[in-house]
Amino acid sequence: MPDLAPVPSVPSVLFVCVHNAGRSQMAAAFLTHLAADRVQVRSAGSAPADTVNPAVVAAMAESGIDISAETPKVLTVDAVRSSDVVITMGCGDTCPFFPGKRYLDWQLPDPAGRGVEAVRPIRDEIERRVRDLLTEITPTA
């Protein structure tokens, strides 16, 4: 009988903002892009919009990440329960609390109603924070 090594757990991260149309979409896209299969990534909102903010889509395209097919998703208790790290995006959203989860609030300006020029610095700050988070939650090879 072969000796089976334990399968390492893949950390999961949930990004939350009210409409799931800007900040949380950018954060999820960066983490998905940078982590590949090393992290399970979700995003959601308490009152999801119909579509992702077009200025956010354009700003992410400038970074080489296409989120044009993404759609805002509703925040569920199950999404929070099944995540190791829950990050709200400075929007005052409240999430169900489960012991043993890591909760962070990234205070970031809302890109709603802004053009791509105003979204770029928000995008860049999100990328910086996502890179830092990835370093914290994934083991080094």
Side-chain angles (χ1 to χ4, degrees), residues 34-139:
L34 295 168
D37 59 354
R38 295 180 294 155
V39 178
Q40 183 181 35
V41 183
R42 298 179 188 86
S43 71
S46 56
D50 293 330
T51 60
V52 175
N53 179 331
V56 166
V57 172
M60 291 302 290
E62 291 176 354
S63 292
I65 300 173
D66 180 6
I67 63 169
S68 62
E70 295 297 324
T71 56
K73 295 165 262 333
V74 69
L75 177 64
T76 66
V77 171
D78 285 340
V80 177
R81 183 182 293 123
S82 61
S83 299
D84 298 310
V85 181
V86 178
I87 302 173
T88 54
M89 310 301 279
C91 50
D93 254 9
T94 55
C95 295
F97 179 81
F98 293 99
K101 307 291 179 200
R102 181 177 175 195
Y103 292 87
L104 301 171
D105 184 39
W106 290 355
Q107 293 291 322
L108 297 160
D110 188 350
R114 300 179 185 208
V116 71
E117 299 81 19
V119 173
R120 286 182 188 122
I122 301 167
R123 174 203 61 202
D124 295 346
E125 178 61 15
I126 289 171
E127 181 181 12
R128 184 191 68 72
R129 291 181 189 206
V130 165
R131 287 181 181 278
D132 290 347
L133 176 70
L134 185 59
T135 300
E136 290 175 29
I137 65 172
T138 57

